[in-house]
Amino acid sequence: MIEQVPTTPATSEPVTRPEARLHCHITDTEQDSVVDALITAAREYCERTTSRQFVNATWKEYFDSFPADEIRLGRWPLSTVNSIKYVDADGNTQTWTDTLYEYDTNAEPPRIKPAYNQSWPTIRSGIYNAVTVEFVAGYGATAASVPKHFKQAIMLLVGHWYEHREAYVDRDVPKEVEMALHALLGMDRVRTFA
């Protein structure tokens, strides 16, 4: 199983508090802490649903071994690979020289493979997390680079959660987030196959 861990979070949210307040028709500042929490929760929900990172953040992914062909990262879009570290046959942690591998920032999910005429390094077998890839994912360093449909999905969720702070029933039918949210996020949901 691959484990993803954020190491340096994004420096801003894709949706600002004033944008969310305007969307929710909130005119006072008494609910600002609630709005901030809803923005963060909505962004996390949207990012996890789509396996995307909206504003640039640094991540680490851990693998038990190198794959037969290529590493596929679980968070995109990929901006850069900072490092690939591995535990060698002697049990020492090594950093693989970046000229010995290449990565594809256009692929979804992003891919890493040995450079031409290179092969994966030899690792110590039978241990967990023998390979660590540190990388930056996101559309850019600021909210301005995040596609508008993701911002709209976040605002839809913020508005929905602001109005319905608990599960609710309408005409004896349990309700969940409106179909518009799923339509917005579904446009960019990448299906992965094992």
Side-chain angles (χ1 to χ4, degrees), residues 80-105:
T80 186
V81 174
N82 293 343
S83 67
I84 298 176
K85 296 186 178 189
Y86 62 96
V87 178
D88 68 17
D90 295 325
N92 300 311
T93 301
Q94 304 289 340
T95 301
W96 199 26
T97 304
D98 62 1
T99 57
L100 301 180
Y101 61 87
E102 57 187 43
Y103 54 91
D104 184 357
T105 59

Side-chain angles (χ1 to χ4, degrees), residues 28-99:
D28 59 62
T29 59
E30 292 176 6
Q31 299 290 314
D32 280 356
S33 62
V34 172
V35 171
D36 290 345
L38 291 174
I39 291 169
T40 299
R43 186 241 328 138
E44 288 174 349
Y45 178 91
C46 292
E47 285 178 336
R48 287 182 187 198
T49 298
T50 62
S51 296
R52 294 178 187 274
Q53 176 68 42
F54 296 150
V55 178
N56 284 1
T58 303
W59 286 80
K60 283 186 180 179
E61 283 196 30
Y62 299 90
F63 304 85
D64 293 340
S65 62
F66 284 111
D69 52 356
E70 61 188 22
I71 293 173
R72 292 183 180 208
L73 299 174
R75 185 71 56 156
W76 49 84
L78 175 64
S79 176
T80 186
V81 174
N82 293 343
S83 67
I84 298 176
K85 296 186 178 189
Y86 62 96
V87 178
D88 68 17
D90 295 325
N92 300 311
T93 301
Q94 304 289 340
T95 301
W96 199 26
T97 304
D98 62 1
T99 57

Side-chain angles (χ1 to χ4, degrees), residues 4 6 13 18 41 44 55 67 70 77-78 83 108 110 115 119 123 126 134 143 162 170 172 182 184 188 194:
Q4 294 179 358
E13 292 288 354
E44 288 174 349
V55 178
E70 61 188 22
L78 175 64
S83 67
E108 293 183 352
S119 58
I123 63 167
E134 182 182 89
Y162 183 78
D170 183 19
D172 297 326
H182 297 293
L184 287 168
D188 288 292

Side-chain angles (χ1 to χ4, degrees), residues 90-193:
D90 295 325
N92 300 311
T93 301
Q94 304 289 340
T95 301
W96 199 26
T97 304
D98 62 1
T99 57
L100 301 180
Y101 61 87
E102 57 187 43
Y103 54 91
D104 184 357
T105 59
N106 296 315
E108 293 183 352
R111 306 174 296 174
I112 304 170
K113 68 176 184 175
Y116 177 73
N117 218 16
Q118 298 295 321
S119 58
W120 297 115
T122 302
I123 63 167
R124 174 168 276 192
S125 62
I127 65 170
Y128 293 122
N129 304 320
V131 178
T132 304
V133 179
E134 182 182 89
F135 62 98
V136 176
Y139 288 97
T142 66
S145 57
V146 178
K148 292 187 184 341
H149 65 282
F150 289 134
K151 292 182 181 188
Q152 183 63 32
I154 291 169
M155 287 195 290
L156 280 172
L157 261 181
V158 169
H160 177 79
W161 288 342
Y162 183 78
E163 288 297 320
H164 307 284
R165 303 209 183 172
E166 298 177 9
Y168 74 104
V169 175
D170 183 19
R171 297 183 191 137
D172 297 326
V173 178
K175 295 290 183 179
E176 61 178 77
V177 179
E178 295 297 324
M179 287 176 51
L181 172 72
H182 297 293
L184 287 168
L185 295 179
M187 292 189 311
D188 288 292
R189 188 173 198 174
V190 176
R191 308 284 189 252
T192 57
F193 302 96

